[in-house]
Amino acid sequence: MTTKPRPIRLDRSALPGLVAFGLFTVMAAVFIGAEFGTAEGFPAGESIVAGIGNSLLGITDGGLVVESFLVALILIAIALDAALDGAILLAERDGGDE
């Protein structure tokens, strides 16, 4: 048996809805108003793999201008290490004869 629909209580759902709409409006304005510079590729004769490795470690070798992603690389390494430690902890057996 179906029941008839009940009206939405505005005292509970109006504020979160307005906050979500406001956040959407702000994010849409930022995304629409963002300006991007011209895309620059790798110079001829430069190794793309070496450029990625240098940018991960923050090495400014050669003619490439790179941003340093060393902090991001270390944080990812710590997160992966914690996940591996957790997987090993969960995989260990308690007691047992094996």
Side-chain angles (χ1 to χ4, degrees):
M1 176 190 298
T2 60
T3 60
K4 65 181 181 178
R6 292 175 285 186
I8 296 174
R9 292 177 33 190
L10 292 178
D11 58 339
R12 284 189 356 197
S13 62
L15 183 62
L18 289 174
V19 169
F21 181 73
L23 180 63
F24 172 77
T25 305
V26 169
M27 290 179 69
V30 168
F31 291 147
I32 290 173
E35 295 181 13
F36 298 101
T38 58
E40 297 179 18
F42 282 91
E46 292 287 335
S47 172
I48 295 174
V49 175
I52 292 172
N54 289 341
S55 66
L56 281 175
L57 298 175
I59 299 171
T60 56
D61 186 27
L64 292 177
V65 178
V66 296
E67 293 183 35
S68 177
F69 293 102
L70 186 59
V71 174
L73 181 69
I74 291 172
L75 290 175
I76 290 171
I78 290 171
L80 289 175
D81 184 39
L84 180 63
D85 293 344
I88 291 172
L89 181 70
L90 290 174
E92 289 180 352
R93 295 183 183 216
D94 295 331
D97 297 330
E98 296 181 351

